[in-house]
Amino acid sequence: MKKLFLLLLLFLSFGEVYAQKQIKAFESGEFLKFRVSYGVLNAGIATLQLSETTQNGVPVYHAKGVGYTTGVPKLFFKVYDDYQSYFEKGAVIPHRFIRKIDEGGYTKNQEGFFDYKQQQVLVKDYEKSTEKKYPIVKDVQDIVSAFYYLRKYPKLNELKKNESIEIDMFFDGEVFQFKLKYLGEETLKTAFGKVKAMKFRPYVMAGRVFKEQESLTVWVSADSNKVPLRIKASLAVGSLKADLEEYKGLVSNLSIIK
């Protein structure tokens, strides 16, 4: 559940940043709700909502993602994760992130502040009462802003089958490359009807949680919203699936195939 929620948030040159400003894939008021299942069991809920505010006088979007276990899985492993990001409204440039998690008793309460002049991020750990600065690269994203950045990626509609996107992401004290491979188009059956979708393969670290590096598949709407419709993950034991269950505030109507 926790790994799938992280990757849900997941869905560079000046030219690309400029192009991003011209693309409108989302707006304030957007709300997405996903139903997470483990096999035949309802395992949890994940939500993403977007609002507007300011950060140090700069107009920004405030994205808040929450994921939590429900039903029988909650009895064995309780999860409540709260991830937030504040990023610029034109191009997606993160200024601040929040990470509050409780995963079966494993907890974190952190806040990060990006400083692009110094090329570093200041992370405040409120549980440990510590502050630490980490180096970053120019066009880095946090775990939540990356989700929105990829939806506005200027070359997304030009991808050919088996081509990939790579972005730099800051998470857990380090910058790593996140790679997303395009697998082609597919018509997906959803709760809202059949939707034309773009199919992607995020590359993940194989090991204790995922079976292998190519254990994840993501479907996003092929319309201007680029909204995630489904995520499937093959785990070391069993599989997880997240389906879009409810939405509102999209920039355009979801393209349903009649």
Side-chain angles (χ1 to χ4, degrees):
M1 166 67 189
K2 63 180 181 179
K3 297 298 181 183
L4 187 63
F5 176 63
L6 278 176
L7 289 156
L8 184 62
L9 303 175
L10 298 167
F11 159 113
L12 294 139
S13 65
F14 173 81
E16 287 180 329
V17 171
Y18 178 80
Q20 272 216 328
K21 293 180 180 180
Q22 316 307 312
I23 299 171
K24 191 172 184 180
F26 48 80
E27 61 187 2
S28 179
E30 182 184 83
F31 173 81
L32 308 175
K33 180 181 178 182
F34 299 85
R35 173 73 59 178
V36 183
S37 57
Y38 179 76
V40 297
L41 296 175
N42 286 326
I45 297 292
T47 62
L48 279 164
Q49 53 188 338
L50 197 64
S51 59
E52 293 179 76
T53 185
T54 58
Q55 187 70 28
N56 295 326
V58 178
V60 296
Y61 281 126
H62 175 206
K64 180 179 175 67
V66 173
Y68 54 91
T69 45
T70 59
V72 175
K74 185 178 179 181
L75 300 176
F76 298 96
F77 193 80
K78 186 178 179 180
V79 171
Y80 190 92
D81 288 351
D82 179 355
Y83 287 87
Q84 301 179 44
S85 178
Y86 296 79
F87 57 88
E88 292 184 23
K89 294 176 63 178
V92 180
I93 301 173
H95 283 238
R96 173 186 169 203
F97 72 82
I98 294 172
R99 183 187 182 195
K100 296 180 182 178
I101 64 171
D102 185 344
E103 300 168 349
Y106 174 76
T107 61
K108 278 186 179 292
N109 184 4
Q110 297 177 331
E111 190 170 14
F113 301 88
F114 291 89
D115 183 340
Y116 294 100
K117 290 183 179 179
Q118 300 297 322
Q119 291 288 284
Q120 62 188 18
V121 56
L122 171 65
V123 177
K124 296 183 178 182
D125 191 313
Y126 296 114
E127 283 192 335
K128 298 178 180 179
S129 299
T130 60
E131 295 184 3
K132 188 173 181 179
K133 296 178 180 178
Y134 298 91
I136 56 172
V137 293
K138 180 184 175 184
D139 296 307
V140 71
Q141 298 293 321
D142 63 49
I143 193 75
V144 177
S145 69
F147 165 75
Y148 293 94
Y149 178 88
L150 287 168
R151 289 173 66 187
K152 290 187 69 174
Y153 194 79
K155 299 177 182 178
L156 203 61
N157 289 326
E158 301 172 17
L159 288 176
K160 294 180 174 58
K161 190 174 181 179
N162 295 322
E163 285 187 337
S164 298
I165 298 171
E166 293 184 4
I167 65 171
D168 291 308
M169 186 186 300
F170 178 83
F171 183 68
D172 240 359
E174 64 177 310
V175 175
F176 67 95
Q177 275 205 328
F178 178 74
K179 183 178 179 180
L180 198 64
K181 182 179 179 180
Y182 178 53
L183 302 180
E185 288 190 348
E186 186 174 306
T187 300
L188 193 67
K189 290 184 179 180
T190 74
F192 320 103
K194 293 181 179 179
V195 180
K196 187 178 179 181
M198 301 177 72
K199 187 177 179 181
F200 291 93
R201 173 68 39 78
Y203 282 82
V204 297
M205 187 77 70
R208 292 181 302 168
V209 177
F210 298 102
K211 276 187 176 181
E212 54 189 20
Q213 195 182 40
E214 298 187 6
S215 294
L216 285 163
T217 309
V218 181
W219 290 260
V220 303
S221 63
D223 56 19
S224 61
N225 300 295
K226 298 297 185 291
V227 63
L229 301 169
R230 177 173 296 163
I231 298 176
K232 292 182 72 174
S234 298
L235 308 180
V237 178
S239 62
L240 278 173
K241 183 174 73 168
D243 281 308
L244 183 64
E245 181 181 73
E246 180 184 338
Y247 66 87
K248 64 180 180 181
L250 300 184
V251 293
S252 63
N253 292 329
L254 194 64
S255 299
I256 308 297
I257 301 173
K258 296 181 179 180

